[in-house]
Each structure stands twice: as structure tokens, then as C-alpha cells.
């Protein structure tokens, strides 16, 4: 709804002129505050190659943590020369950073160690 600056009448969004006084001046609605706290990302780690970054991203995704890899497509472009770019950042939302660090600290394999030969 648009509010007229002259008479204060609320008009439809499609209105070109106020239905009450005929003016074409309407108050501009204030922009809604950003309600998505995940728009800003923090770097959790830098991986040497895209395979390692993808594996970590899969582990985090399985735990319900959204992941962003800003270097993913650059690494795909330079895939034949991994030293050309050097790293792939894995980023998470600030609210998920602590949980993601705990997941990174876990051993990568969930399988039990092989039996020792005695």
C-alpha cells in the first residue's frame, strides 16, 4: 500500500494518483531490515584443493551447516594448475562457526580402525 503525502490516504501499490486528493506524491516505504544473518560469511579454513574443500563442505552440509565456497569456480578453471590459484576457502555463517570448528576437529573417518595383527 502507498500512503499519500498530502492527505494520508492509503492507496493500492498500482495507483498513479491518490484516490482522495489526486496528487501523485506518495511516501516511500522504508526498506525492510536485512533479516538474513547468513548473508555474511566467515572463513572456516582454506583447503589446498577443491576435492578437500568439497569433502569438508559435504560433512558440514550433512550436519545442517550451510557452506559457501567463493573460490570454487576459480579452482575449477585452474584445475590443471593447482598452484595457479593455491587454495579454496570454505566459509560458514558466523552463527555456525563454532559448530563447524567442532566438526573439523573430529576424525575424518567414522570407520573403526583396522584390527591389529598379533
Amino acid at each position: 500500500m502507498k500512503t499519500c503525502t498530502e492527505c494520508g490516504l492509503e492507496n493500492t501499490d498500482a495507483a498513479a494518483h491518490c484516490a482522495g486528493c489526486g496528487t501523485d506524491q506518495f511516501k516511500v516505504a522504508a526498506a525492510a531490515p536485512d533479516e538474513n544473518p547468513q548473508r555474511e560469511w566467515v572463513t572456516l579454513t582454506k583447503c589446498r584443493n577443491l576435492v578437500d574443500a568439497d569433502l569438508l563442505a559435504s560433512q558440514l552440509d550433512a550436519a545442517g551447516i550451510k557452506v559457501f565456497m567463493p573460490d570454487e569456480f576459480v579452482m575449477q578453471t585452474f584445475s590443471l594448475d593447482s598452484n595457479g590459484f593455491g587454495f579454496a576457502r570454505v566459509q560458514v555463517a558466523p552463527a555456525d562457526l563454532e559448530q563447524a570448528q567442532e566438526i573439523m576437529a573430529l576424525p575424518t573417518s567414522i570407520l573403526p580402525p583396522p584390527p591389529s595383527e598379533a
Side-chain angles (χ1 to χ4, degrees):
M1 298 293 284
K2 294 180 182 178
T3 305
C4 177
T5 58
E6 298 295 320
C7 66
L9 182 69
E10 288 190 3
N11 296 272
T12 63
D13 288 332
H17 297 281
C18 177
C21 65
T23 186
D24 61 349
Q25 300 297 316
F26 298 100
K27 291 182 184 175
V28 177
D34 187 12
E35 296 178 6
N36 186 359
Q38 297 212 1
R39 290 188 70 162
E40 294 187 23
W41 301 90
V42 293
T43 300
L44 174 65
T45 189
K46 294 178 182 177
C47 297
R48 290 184 50 89
N49 56 51
L50 194 54
V51 173
D52 292 344
D54 282 336
L55 287 172
L56 177 58
S58 295
Q59 289 176 328
L60 295 172
D61 189 50
I65 298 173
K66 300 265 188 230
V67 177
F68 177 58
M69 295 190 306
D71 308 312
E72 179 177 15
F73 298 114
V74 173
M75 289 295 286
Q76 288 175 354
T77 302
F78 292 111
S79 63
L80 296 176
D81 181 18
S82 62
N83 292 327
F85 188 70
F87 60 86
R89 290 174 290 173
V90 177
Q91 297 183 332
V92 297
D96 295 329
L97 181 61
E98 187 175 324
Q99 182 183 2
Q101 288 171 334
E102 290 172 4
I103 290 171
M104 275 187 56
L106 296 174
T108 57
S109 175
I110 59 171
L111 299 174
S116 62
E117 295 181 24

